[in-house]
Amino acid sequence: MIRSLLGALLMLSVALAAGEQDPAAVALDFLGKLQKVTPSDEIDATEMTALFPGTTEARRTEIESALRGLANELAGARLDVVESRTEGSLAGVLMSATFGLNASAARVHPVALIVRDDTWLPAPVEGTFENLGIDYLPDFTAPSHRLAKWMKDEAPKRTRQLRQRLLTDLRDSIRRTEIARMPAATPPAELLMHFLEAAAARDLPSVLAALGGAEDELSEDFQATAAFVASSFKRAQELGLPDPSAPDHLLTVIEEETKPSTAVVSVGDFDCLKTRRGADALRVYAFDFSRTSSGRWQLVPSSQLLFSSPAVPSPEVQEKFAVALLAAHPPVAAESPEILARRALQAIATCDPGSLLESVTREESTPFDALVDFLRPLTTARKLRRRPVLLGTCTIGDRAAALWLPFDLSHPEIEPDRFLHFTLRRYDQGWLLAPGQKPGDELDAWIEEQSARPGNHWYEKLGLAEVATPAPLRETPADEAGSIFAGWADALQRQDLAGAFARAAVPAGEDGRRHLMEYLGTEFSSDCDIQLLKVHTEGSWTAATLRHQPQDPKQPATYLLHPLISTPEGPRILAEAILYTEDTRGRRLLNDLARKRLAALFPSADLDPLREILRRHEALAEEDRSRP
């Protein structure tokens, strides 16, 4: 009796010492830590739980294996406290783990806790007080049994309630989707495209609406279908469906075979970044449909639906795809060959295959192989970051040729074998590109003649100023200087190589061009928002502060000082002399290199005014950084 009373007093004193802690918060923190465990992380039950030190090694291994399994199960879940009960220095907490509207994955997990050294700690075995070293302490027996029984009884019951609530919420969400509100007569092909967009967005309610979830009476296996789709989304990388939202893909319906109660829709998915593999860039998928009792079309749920195996397209299917793809992008003719060529190159530069296809004629057939060749430059623009630049056009009658170059900033040498060309035709509505067609003998001769010109010719034609004796800018009106800087910032922002060339100057020679290419390559790959803040003038020097803000607002902006110099072609930006704010050691080193180049380029010029401009630039950058 005395021993029992002392034990009860001990439990009470320990519980009071831990009273400022909340067992539910400790349980939430414990499961949250398990969520963050990666496959390469070790799980140490002694560190994470109140594991009894005398536990055998074999049992400890079993416990840590179970904890890893729980960690895998909780990955990506939202955790919430359902209910908590405390008896002295023991507690039981019911925690819900949910994955959006995925009812089948939702579960209520029981967490047992004990006070050790005035601190609540989770028990090592889920929902029990095993391996805590209290099995033979009589004062712990009754409360541990009561709490363990409560968790054992309530966890499955609460799990069923949770899943039922999520199923109800899911059904309500399905009814609100665009697919559920579509007319019953919506054809299978249109429904399929909405389904693919929903699948790409991992939009569970919309996907299920296309799989029969929009019906008033659900099929017996609908809940199993919902569970399968939800679990597939959790393993999103395993999905085999084409993604209509991917910028590098072209998706179009090849054909639709419809019967009174069934239909099959074939879709071609063309990966523009795989054009070097020819026909391998095309994958064809077939989707089965059935008509419900309400007259609506629905996709037939199957294991192949989300983990589909694309068919290898036959030559006949390839040609059907080419026709269907062009039909899905109606042509938009241009007034002149130059306007059309620039529009096509802009589509290549931005990896916009849809806009590129709008430049193609429909009055002449375009074979699949010719279409692959036509789309191939999208690969170099996206993967190799080559910038398409129009070099010139030549028109003879109703035909024209446009010579262009996918400019490689890492190799500024212009070589004849890198030139490409478009063939253009004039039709009643205007000019359109004609992939696969030959320009004609006279235009072929023009292309060959132009391609033989040296690289210096093309740099000059593109507007790049090469100066043998650079000089600081003198007597340029502020509004003219501001216009030059604004155009330069816009060219950098749009990654417009020709626009940058037309506003830049380099010291004569390969080294000067290479330095400019390195700078432009860095800017074009940084994906920053570039804004002109202020134009500074001091003595014979004029320069501008440009803010380069990364797309991620959490990343700090970089402030660069871009100076103007005089050239025979007018005022130009000298990339050799671009200066940074000197707020890091690396930027100070870059500025030191720039100063050495300036001293070599302007041996007799007074550089003190430029130093004063740099001081103002630093002050402006500091002021801009401090703004909210």
Side-chain angles (χ1 to χ4, degrees), residues 87 105 157 166 174 214 225 229 234 290 292 308 314 316 333 346 384 388 390 399 420 463 465 482 569 593 602:
E87 291 198 31
K157 183 170 69 175
L166 289 174
I174 289 173
T225 298
V229 174
K234 190 176 179 182
S290 64
T292 67
S308 51
S314 65
E316 179 184 7
Q346 176 63 19
L384 304 180
L390 181 65
R399 288 181 176 268
L420 297 174
E569 291 81 6
L593 292 174
F602 306 99

Side-chain angles (χ1 to χ4, degrees), residues 399-583:
R399 288 181 176 268
L403 188 68
W404 63 281
L405 179 70
F407 207 99
D408 187 349
L409 292 173
S410 61
H411 297 86
E413 303 82 6
I414 298 179
E415 300 168 351
D417 61 350
R418 292 159 73 184
F419 290 102
L420 297 174
H421 70 271
F422 292 134
T423 299
L424 304 91
R425 293 285 304 273
R426 180 166 51 201
Y427 301 95
D428 292 342
Q429 68 270 39
W431 288 92
L432 289 168
L433 302 180
Q437 295 189 35
K438 300 292 184 182
D441 293 343
E442 293 180 87
L443 290 173
D444 283 339
W446 175 81
I447 293 171
E448 184 176 351
E449 175 191 349
Q450 296 298 310
S451 300
R453 293 182 179 273
N456 288 347
H457 166 81
W458 295 115
Y459 276 115
E460 182 179 348
K461 185 176 178 62
L462 290 170
L464 180 62
E466 291 195 3
V467 289
T469 55
L473 181 68
R474 297 180 183 278
E475 299 179 359
T476 297
D479 56 347
E480 181 183 351
S483 176
I484 295 170
F485 284 123
W488 171 250
D490 180 65
L492 295 180
Q493 178 72 58
R494 293 188 298 108
Q495 302 182 11
D496 176 8
L497 185 61
F501 279 171
R503 295 169 177 84
V506 296
E510 289 291 331
D511 288 344
R513 287 201 297 263
R514 187 176 298 279
H515 190 274
L516 174 63
M517 301 310 140
E518 289 174 355
Y519 170 74
L520 293 177
T522 300
E523 287 295 351
F524 287 176
S525 62
S526 65
D527 198 23
C528 285
D529 178 38
I530 300 174
Q531 184 177 353
L532 171 63
L533 295 186
K534 188 173 183 179
V535 177
H536 311 273
T537 300
E538 182 71 20
S540 59
W541 287 94
T542 298
T545 297
L546 269 63
R547 179 177 61 212
H548 301 240
Q549 175 63 58
Q551 294 298 321
D552 182 356
K554 296 179 182 178
Q555 296 294 322
T558 300
Y559 299 82
L560 298 181
L561 185 67
H562 300 245
L564 280 181
I565 65 167
S566 294
T567 76
E569 291 81 6
R572 296 294 181 91
I573 285 89
L574 180 65
E576 297 272 328
I578 290 176
L579 297 168
Y580 291 80
T581 51
E582 297 187 344
D583 46 2

Side-chain angles (χ1 to χ4, degrees), residues 57-79:
E57 189 65 28
R59 178 58 178 155
R60 173 175 168 166
T61 300
E62 290 178 1
I63 290 172
E64 290 175 346
S65 177
L67 288 174
R68 182 169 294 281
L70 180 58
N72 293 335
E73 187 177 342
L74 293 173
R78 169 177 170 158
L79 301 173

Side-chain angles (χ1 to χ4, degrees), residues 5 24 106 110 150 171 175 200 210 228 363 425 488 502 509 542 582 585 621:
L5 178 60
W150 171 72
R171 191 72 195 278
R175 293 191 182 101
F228 170 74
E363 299 189 23
R425 293 285 304 273
W488 171 250
T542 298
E582 297 187 344
R585 182 173 181 274

